[in-house]
Amino acid sequence: MFSSSLVSRSAAFVTRRVVTPANTRAISSSSLRFAEEGQAEVILVGCGAPNRGMGWYHAVQMLDKKCPSASLDYVVEPWFMGGGKDSPAGQDFAEWQADTEAAHGTKFAGSLEELPPPAAPRLALISGRTADNPRLLKESIAHGAKCVYLEKPGAPTVTELEQMSKDAKDAGVEVLMGYNKNVCKYVRKTREFADTLEGSMITYVSNNAYENTPESLGECFERNAEGMLKNMVIHELALLVSFHDVTVDNIAEVVADKEFSSLQTLPGPSGKDFTDFDKIKFTITTKTGVTICVQGDRCGGTDSFATVSDKEGKEVFRYWMPDDDDKVHVKELTEKYPTAMPYFFTQDPDYITVKERVAKHTVSGEEAEGIANIDIAVETLKVAEYLTPVLSEQLK
């Protein structure tokens, strides 16, 4: 057991420990409080590897005080503080852990069971493997979370996510989603322009920067085995559900762009075959008369954008993420973190916005404007599960 004496955020508290089922140590609750008045006590659940994990980048932003209502007090990382500790990535994590403990006093644990009771309104930011989310949500609720920030898509299946929603509501815990594109500037600007043009159609375009090789895409397919529509393009589907009246029950027609789209079966690093889209484009028409298009390309680059077409199908508006102003910021971050994933930087302001609004909501109850809740996430996952076989069949 750690000492029960007063612990402050300083380099004086640095500890390295290995957590195993037979040797679990708890963090003392005596006088432990880092979150200040007006801040949520944040637990990051699932950090991932430095420079690669989305959880790690969430941590960096909070440690750099980019989210004034969020105090990152605890990091729970089961894999790199457990079975993966001796891997190269695990050694990188241990080094980052030591630096973070020394610089900020943040406490690290291998499980939520090691944490003391909340000393301030507790926000659990779950950024682990999708398959682990149902368990991690239950554990976060059991260990005092007032609110949960859940990374997309929330769960592997609709059934699991619906159960998670029920568990949270039964416990009186709100679950808000990390669908950051809901607050993106390029989305807002595009929607505002489309509203001025009767009969217009929006196309949301999402790109990633994987190498267009069987090896690179096979690794991608295996690591994101839930599939492209439940992973990379899930943000765009959340936009459709949030802003464009798209639900499974309201879809009248789905048409794949066969010329653009590609469905491949490739071996992953394990040698097992995985079938997924490496790029997809489709148009949805709803029963209420909305027509909307989504395009995703795993090898399309680092930038996302949206376009507006007029009634004749001619593109009349395009807005990029990042825009010219944001590119300066992206360059600064790239220089600061040269080995980190490039998409962290293009979406950096939006990650901050979502975390800050959720953290402020956790403390004050103030509405988290524009932030998707778990009900939106359930409907989004339903759309993804509906579209995947429909589009796959059209591309055969």
PDB file of all heavy atoms in Angstrom, residues 7 21 31 34 46 82 87 118 126 131 139 147 161-162 189 207 235 241 248 265 272 275 285 297 302 328 341 383:
ATOM      1  N   VAL A   7       0.074  13.709  -0.694  1.00  0.00           N
ATOM      2  CA  VAL A   7       0.849  13.609  -1.926  1.00  0.00           C
ATOM      3  C   VAL A   7       0.472  14.771  -2.814  1.00  0.00           C
ATOM      4  O   VAL A   7      -0.693  15.018  -3.064  1.00  0.00           O
ATOM      5  CB  VAL A   7       0.552  12.288  -2.657  1.00  0.00           C
ATOM      6  CG1 VAL A   7       1.355  12.211  -3.933  1.00  0.00           C
ATOM      7  CG2 VAL A   7       0.906  11.115  -1.759  1.00  0.00           C
ATOM      8  N   PRO A  21      -2.243 -10.356 -11.326  1.00  0.00           N
ATOM      9  CA  PRO A  21      -3.410 -10.752 -10.538  1.00  0.00           C
ATOM     10  C   PRO A  21      -3.064 -11.129  -9.106  1.00  0.00           C
ATOM     11  O   PRO A  21      -3.884 -10.956  -8.212  1.00  0.00           O
ATOM     12  CB  PRO A  21      -3.976 -11.942 -11.320  1.00  0.00           C
ATOM     13  CG  PRO A  21      -3.529 -11.697 -12.740  1.00  0.00           C
ATOM     14  CD  PRO A  21      -2.180 -11.052 -12.615  1.00  0.00           C
ATOM     15  N   SER A  31      -6.071  11.852   1.690  1.00  0.00           N
ATOM     16  CA  SER A  31      -5.659  13.203   1.301  1.00  0.00           C
ATOM     17  C   SER A  31      -5.214  13.327  -0.141  1.00  0.00           C
ATOM     18  O   SER A  31      -4.539  14.276  -0.500  1.00  0.00           O
ATOM     19  CB  SER A  31      -4.526  13.705   2.223  1.00  0.00           C
ATOM     20  OG  SER A  31      -4.956  13.694   3.556  1.00  0.00           O
ATOM     21  N   PHE A  34      -5.913  15.921  -6.590  1.00  0.00           N
ATOM     22  CA  PHE A  34      -5.190  16.734  -7.556  1.00  0.00           C
ATOM     23  C   PHE A  34      -6.119  17.726  -8.233  1.00  0.00           C
ATOM     24  O   PHE A  34      -5.752  18.864  -8.481  1.00  0.00           O
ATOM     25  CB  PHE A  34      -4.529  15.847  -8.612  1.00  0.00           C
ATOM     26  CG  PHE A  34      -3.507  14.902  -8.055  1.00  0.00           C
ATOM     27  CD1 PHE A  34      -3.375  13.630  -8.584  1.00  0.00           C
ATOM     28  CD2 PHE A  34      -2.679  15.276  -7.010  1.00  0.00           C
ATOM     29  CE1 PHE A  34      -2.435  12.746  -8.067  1.00  0.00           C
ATOM     30  CE2 PHE A  34      -1.738  14.400  -6.502  1.00  0.00           C
ATOM     31  CZ  PHE A  34      -1.618  13.125  -7.024  1.00  0.00           C
ATOM     32  N   GLY A  46      -7.019   3.055 -20.482  1.00  0.00           N
ATOM     33  CA  GLY A  46      -6.511   2.589 -21.766  1.00  0.00           C
ATOM     34  C   GLY A  46      -5.725   3.681 -22.456  1.00  0.00           C
ATOM     35  O   GLY A  46      -6.274   4.471 -23.216  1.00  0.00           O
ATOM     36  N   GLY A  82       1.022  -4.789 -17.545  1.00  0.00           N
ATOM     37  CA  GLY A  82       0.784  -6.205 -17.274  1.00  0.00           C
ATOM     38  C   GLY A  82       1.508  -7.066 -18.276  1.00  0.00           C
ATOM     39  O   GLY A  82       2.733  -7.036 -18.381  1.00  0.00           O
ATOM     40  N   SER A  87       7.483  -5.823 -23.811  1.00  0.00           N
ATOM     41  CA  SER A  87       7.570  -5.569 -25.253  1.00  0.00           C
ATOM     42  C   SER A  87       8.260  -4.233 -25.502  1.00  0.00           C
ATOM     43  O   SER A  87       8.360  -3.393 -24.598  1.00  0.00           O
ATOM     44  CB  SER A  87       6.166  -5.540 -25.864  1.00  0.00           C
ATOM     45  OG  SER A  87       5.449  -4.407 -25.378  1.00  0.00           O
ATOM     46  N   PRO A 118     -13.429   8.613  -5.424  1.00  0.00           N
ATOM     47  CA  PRO A 118     -13.271   9.951  -6.018  1.00  0.00           C
ATOM     48  C   PRO A 118     -13.054  11.024  -4.953  1.00  0.00           C
ATOM     49  O   PRO A 118     -13.673  10.997  -3.889  1.00  0.00           O
ATOM     50  CB  PRO A 118     -14.595  10.182  -6.753  1.00  0.00           C
ATOM     51  CG  PRO A 118     -15.207   8.830  -6.924  1.00  0.00           C
ATOM     52  CD  PRO A 118     -14.730   8.009  -5.766  1.00  0.00           C
ATOM     53  N   ILE A 126     -12.537   6.483 -21.442  1.00  0.00           N
ATOM     54  CA  ILE A 126     -12.223   5.109 -21.858  1.00  0.00           C
ATOM     55  C   ILE A 126     -11.728   5.121 -23.292  1.00  0.00           C
ATOM     56  O   ILE A 126     -12.462   5.461 -24.218  1.00  0.00           O
ATOM     57  CB  ILE A 126     -13.453   4.199 -21.708  1.00  0.00           C
ATOM     58  CG1 ILE A 126     -13.906   4.163 -20.253  1.00  0.00           C
ATOM     59  CG2 ILE A 126     -13.138   2.788 -22.204  1.00  0.00           C
ATOM     60  CD1 ILE A 126     -15.167   3.342 -20.014  1.00  0.00           C
ATOM     61  N   ALA A 131     -13.206  -4.026 -27.877  1.00  0.00           N
ATOM     62  CA  ALA A 131     -13.732  -5.260 -27.294  1.00  0.00           C
ATOM     63  C   ALA A 131     -13.746  -5.216 -25.773  1.00  0.00           C
ATOM     64  O   ALA A 131     -14.538  -5.932 -25.133  1.00  0.00           O
ATOM     65  CB  ALA A 131     -12.911  -6.453 -27.771  1.00  0.00           C
ATOM     66  N   GLU A 139     -16.725  -1.329 -14.868  1.00  0.00           N
ATOM     67  CA  GLU A 139     -15.741  -1.093 -13.815  1.00  0.00           C
ATOM     68  C   GLU A 139     -15.638   0.394 -13.487  1.00  0.00           C
ATOM     69  O   GLU A 139     -15.486   0.773 -12.316  1.00  0.00           O
ATOM     70  CB  GLU A 139     -14.381  -1.646 -14.233  1.00  0.00           C
ATOM     71  CG  GLU A 139     -14.355  -3.167 -14.318  1.00  0.00           C
ATOM     72  CD  GLU A 139     -13.001  -3.700 -14.752  1.00  0.00           C
ATOM     73  OE1 GLU A 139     -12.060  -2.890 -14.905  1.00  0.00           O
ATOM     74  OE2 GLU A 139     -12.877  -4.930 -14.928  1.00  0.00           O
ATOM     75  N   CYS A 147     -19.405  10.573 -14.832  1.00  0.00           N
ATOM     76  CA  CYS A 147     -19.623  10.687 -16.271  1.00  0.00           C
ATOM     77  C   CYS A 147     -18.551   9.871 -16.970  1.00  0.00           C
ATOM     78  O   CYS A 147     -17.448   9.699 -16.434  1.00  0.00           O
ATOM     79  CB  CYS A 147     -19.566  12.158 -16.704  1.00  0.00           C
ATOM     80  SG  CYS A 147     -19.946  12.474 -18.451  1.00  0.00           S
ATOM     81  N   LEU A 161     -23.554  -2.448 -26.919  1.00  0.00           N
ATOM     82  CA  LEU A 161     -23.646  -1.017 -26.634  1.00  0.00           C
ATOM     83  C   LEU A 161     -24.992  -0.668 -26.006  1.00  0.00           C
ATOM     84  O   LEU A 161     -25.073   0.186 -25.118  1.00  0.00           O
ATOM     85  CB  LEU A 161     -23.418  -0.204 -27.912  1.00  0.00           C
ATOM     86  CG  LEU A 161     -23.159   1.290 -27.721  1.00  0.00           C
ATOM     87  CD1 LEU A 161     -21.947   1.532 -26.830  1.00  0.00           C
ATOM     88  CD2 LEU A 161     -22.952   1.982 -29.068  1.00  0.00           C
ATOM     89  N   GLU A 162     -26.059  -1.333 -26.447  1.00  0.00           N
ATOM     90  CA  GLU A 162     -27.370  -1.112 -25.830  1.00  0.00           C
ATOM     91  C   GLU A 162     -27.359  -1.540 -24.361  1.00  0.00           C
ATOM     92  O   GLU A 162     -27.946  -0.863 -23.505  1.00  0.00           O
ATOM     93  CB  GLU A 162     -28.444  -1.876 -26.600  1.00  0.00           C
ATOM     94  CG  GLU A 162     -28.785  -1.251 -27.945  1.00  0.00           C
ATOM     95  CD  GLU A 162     -29.819  -2.046 -28.723  1.00  0.00           C
ATOM     96  OE1 GLU A 162     -29.825  -3.290 -28.608  1.00  0.00           O
ATOM     97  OE2 GLU A 162     -30.609  -1.413 -29.449  1.00  0.00           O
ATOM     98  N   LYS A 189     -18.920  24.568 -41.005  1.00  0.00           N
ATOM     99  CA  LYS A 189     -18.898  25.477 -42.158  1.00  0.00           C
ATOM    100  C   LYS A 189     -19.650  24.868 -43.341  1.00  0.00           C
ATOM    101  O   LYS A 189     -20.385  25.563 -44.063  1.00  0.00           O
ATOM    102  CB  LYS A 189     -17.455  25.778 -42.564  1.00  0.00           C
ATOM    103  CG  LYS A 189     -16.640  26.543 -41.527  1.00  0.00           C
ATOM    104  CD  LYS A 189     -16.926  28.022 -41.598  1.00  0.00           C
ATOM    105  CE  LYS A 189     -15.948  28.815 -40.735  1.00  0.00           C
ATOM    106  NZ  LYS A 189     -16.248  30.260 -40.761  1.00  0.00           N
ATOM    107  N   ASN A 207     -10.016  10.510 -44.766  1.00  0.00           N
ATOM    108  CA  ASN A 207      -8.806   9.870 -45.293  1.00  0.00           C
ATOM    109  C   ASN A 207      -7.883   9.430 -44.171  1.00  0.00           C
ATOM    110  O   ASN A 207      -7.799  10.083 -43.123  1.00  0.00           O
ATOM    111  CB  ASN A 207      -8.036  10.842 -46.192  1.00  0.00           C
ATOM    112  CG  ASN A 207      -8.747  11.109 -47.498  1.00  0.00           C
ATOM    113  OD1 ASN A 207      -9.212  10.187 -48.152  1.00  0.00           O
ATOM    114  ND2 ASN A 207      -8.851  12.376 -47.893  1.00  0.00           N
ATOM    115  N   HIS A 235     -17.091   7.999 -37.608  1.00  0.00           N
ATOM    116  CA  HIS A 235     -17.285   9.432 -37.332  1.00  0.00           C
ATOM    117  C   HIS A 235     -18.272  10.050 -38.321  1.00  0.00           C
ATOM    118  O   HIS A 235     -19.139  10.846 -37.938  1.00  0.00           O
ATOM    119  CB  HIS A 235     -15.955  10.180 -37.417  1.00  0.00           C
ATOM    120  CG  HIS A 235     -15.081  10.006 -36.227  1.00  0.00           C
ATOM    121  ND1 HIS A 235     -15.298  10.661 -35.033  1.00  0.00           N
ATOM    122  CD2 HIS A 235     -13.972   9.258 -36.038  1.00  0.00           C
ATOM    123  CE1 HIS A 235     -14.362  10.328 -34.158  1.00  0.00           C
ATOM    124  NE2 HIS A 235     -13.549   9.476 -34.744  1.00  0.00           N
ATOM    125  N   VAL A 241     -26.200  10.525 -38.436  1.00  0.00           N
ATOM    126  CA  VAL A 241     -27.222  10.295 -37.414  1.00  0.00           C
ATOM    127  C   VAL A 241     -27.528  11.576 -36.646  1.00  0.00           C
ATOM    128  O   VAL A 241     -28.693  11.899 -36.379  1.00  0.00           O
ATOM    129  CB  VAL A 241     -26.777   9.177 -36.450  1.00  0.00           C
ATOM    130  CG1 VAL A 241     -27.724   9.062 -35.257  1.00  0.00           C
ATOM    131  CG2 VAL A 241     -26.686   7.849 -37.185  1.00  0.00           C
ATOM    132  N   VAL A 248     -31.472   3.575 -39.347  1.00  0.00           N
ATOM    133  CA  VAL A 248     -31.733   2.377 -40.144  1.00  0.00           C
ATOM    134  C   VAL A 248     -33.178   2.373 -40.634  1.00  0.00           C
ATOM    135  O   VAL A 248     -33.464   2.085 -41.806  1.00  0.00           O
ATOM    136  CB  VAL A 248     -31.421   1.105 -39.332  1.00  0.00           C
ATOM    137  CG1 VAL A 248     -31.907  -0.134 -40.077  1.00  0.00           C
ATOM    138  CG2 VAL A 248     -29.923   0.993 -39.058  1.00  0.00           C
ATOM    139  N   THR A 265      -9.726  -8.931 -49.497  1.00  0.00           N
ATOM    140  CA  THR A 265      -9.408  -9.932 -48.481  1.00  0.00           C
ATOM    141  C   THR A 265      -7.892 -10.067 -48.436  1.00  0.00           C
ATOM    142  O   THR A 265      -7.265 -10.422 -49.439  1.00  0.00           O
ATOM    143  CB  THR A 265     -10.057 -11.285 -48.806  1.00  0.00           C
ATOM    144  OG1 THR A 265     -11.482 -11.128 -48.820  1.00  0.00           O
ATOM    145  CG2 THR A 265      -9.678 -12.328 -47.757  1.00  0.00           C
ATOM    146  N   LYS A 272      -3.922 -14.837 -40.618  1.00  0.00           N
ATOM    147  CA  LYS A 272      -5.355 -15.007 -40.838  1.00  0.00           C
ATOM    148  C   LYS A 272      -5.851 -13.981 -41.845  1.00  0.00           C
ATOM    149  O   LYS A 272      -5.386 -12.838 -41.873  1.00  0.00           O
ATOM    150  CB  LYS A 272      -6.104 -14.844 -39.509  1.00  0.00           C
ATOM    151  CG  LYS A 272      -7.602 -15.027 -39.604  1.00  0.00           C
ATOM    152  CD  LYS A 272      -8.259 -14.828 -38.238  1.00  0.00           C
ATOM    153  CE  LYS A 272      -9.774 -14.913 -38.340  1.00  0.00           C
ATOM    154  NZ  LYS A 272     -10.427 -14.670 -37.025  1.00  0.00           N
ATOM    155  N   THR A 275     -11.374  -9.547 -44.398  1.00  0.00           N
ATOM    156  CA  THR A 275     -12.037  -8.886 -45.516  1.00  0.00           C
ATOM    157  C   THR A 275     -12.605  -7.555 -45.043  1.00  0.00           C
ATOM    158  O   THR A 275     -13.324  -7.487 -44.043  1.00  0.00           O
ATOM    159  CB  THR A 275     -13.182  -9.751 -46.078  1.00  0.00           C
ATOM    160  OG1 THR A 275     -12.641 -10.981 -46.546  1.00  0.00           O
ATOM    161  CG2 THR A 275     -13.883  -9.041 -47.228  1.00  0.00           C
ATOM    162  N   THR A 285     -30.123   7.837 -49.355  1.00  0.00           N
ATOM    163  CA  THR A 285     -31.339   8.642 -49.461  1.00  0.00           C
ATOM    164  C   THR A 285     -32.298   8.169 -48.383  1.00  0.00           C
ATOM    165  O   THR A 285     -32.537   6.961 -48.231  1.00  0.00           O
ATOM    166  CB  THR A 285     -31.997   8.499 -50.841  1.00  0.00           C
ATOM    167  OG1 THR A 285     -31.052   8.880 -51.849  1.00  0.00           O
ATOM    168  CG2 THR A 285     -33.223   9.388 -50.946  1.00  0.00           C
ATOM    169  N   ASP A 297     -11.156   6.638 -47.477  1.00  0.00           N
ATOM    170  CA  ASP A 297     -10.016   6.026 -48.169  1.00  0.00           C
ATOM    171  C   ASP A 297      -8.887   5.842 -47.167  1.00  0.00           C
ATOM    172  O   ASP A 297      -8.331   6.825 -46.659  1.00  0.00           O
ATOM    173  CB  ASP A 297      -9.573   6.911 -49.332  1.00  0.00           C
ATOM    174  CG  ASP A 297      -8.518   6.250 -50.214  1.00  0.00           C
ATOM    175  OD1 ASP A 297      -7.927   5.241 -49.785  1.00  0.00           O
ATOM    176  OD2 ASP A 297      -8.281   6.762 -51.328  1.00  0.00           O
ATOM    177  N   THR A 302      -3.754  12.484 -45.133  1.00  0.00           N
ATOM    178  CA  THR A 302      -4.005  12.840 -43.734  1.00  0.00           C
ATOM    179  C   THR A 302      -5.175  13.788 -43.552  1.00  0.00           C
ATOM    180  O   THR A 302      -5.647  13.981 -42.428  1.00  0.00           O
ATOM    181  CB  THR A 302      -2.753  13.509 -43.127  1.00  0.00           C
ATOM    182  OG1 THR A 302      -2.421  14.677 -43.893  1.00  0.00           O
ATOM    183  CG2 THR A 302      -1.570  12.560 -43.125  1.00  0.00           C
ATOM    184  N   VAL A 328      -0.744  25.794 -39.659  1.00  0.00           N
ATOM    185  CA  VAL A 328       0.377  26.336 -38.885  1.00  0.00           C
ATOM    186  C   VAL A 328       0.495  25.573 -37.570  1.00  0.00           C
ATOM    187  O   VAL A 328       1.593  25.183 -37.146  1.00  0.00           O
ATOM    188  CB  VAL A 328       0.170  27.844 -38.624  1.00  0.00           C
ATOM    189  CG1 VAL A 328       1.279  28.384 -37.723  1.00  0.00           C
ATOM    190  CG2 VAL A 328       0.116  28.615 -39.935  1.00  0.00           C
ATOM    191  N   MET A 341       1.288   9.854 -34.534  1.00  0.00           N
ATOM    192  CA  MET A 341       0.370   9.657 -35.652  1.00  0.00           C
ATOM    193  C   MET A 341      -0.075  11.011 -36.211  1.00  0.00           C
ATOM    194  O   MET A 341      -0.531  11.871 -35.448  1.00  0.00           O
ATOM    195  CB  MET A 341      -0.851   8.857 -35.199  1.00  0.00           C
ATOM    196  CG  MET A 341      -0.524   7.468 -34.693  1.00  0.00           C
ATOM    197  SD  MET A 341       0.207   6.415 -35.965  1.00  0.00           S
ATOM    198  CE  MET A 341      -1.231   6.067 -36.968  1.00  0.00           C
ATOM    199  N   VAL A 383     -26.466   1.733 -37.861  1.00  0.00           N
ATOM    200  CA  VAL A 383     -26.290   2.097 -39.267  1.00  0.00           C
ATOM    201  C   VAL A 383     -25.068   1.387 -39.843  1.00  0.00           C
ATOM    202  O   VAL A 383     -25.104   0.855 -40.964  1.00  0.00           O
ATOM    203  CB  VAL A 383     -26.171   3.627 -39.423  1.00  0.00           C
ATOM    204  CG1 VAL A 383     -25.777   4.003 -40.853  1.00  0.00           C
ATOM    205  CG2 VAL A 383     -27.490   4.309 -39.049  1.00  0.00           C
TER     206      VAL A 383
END
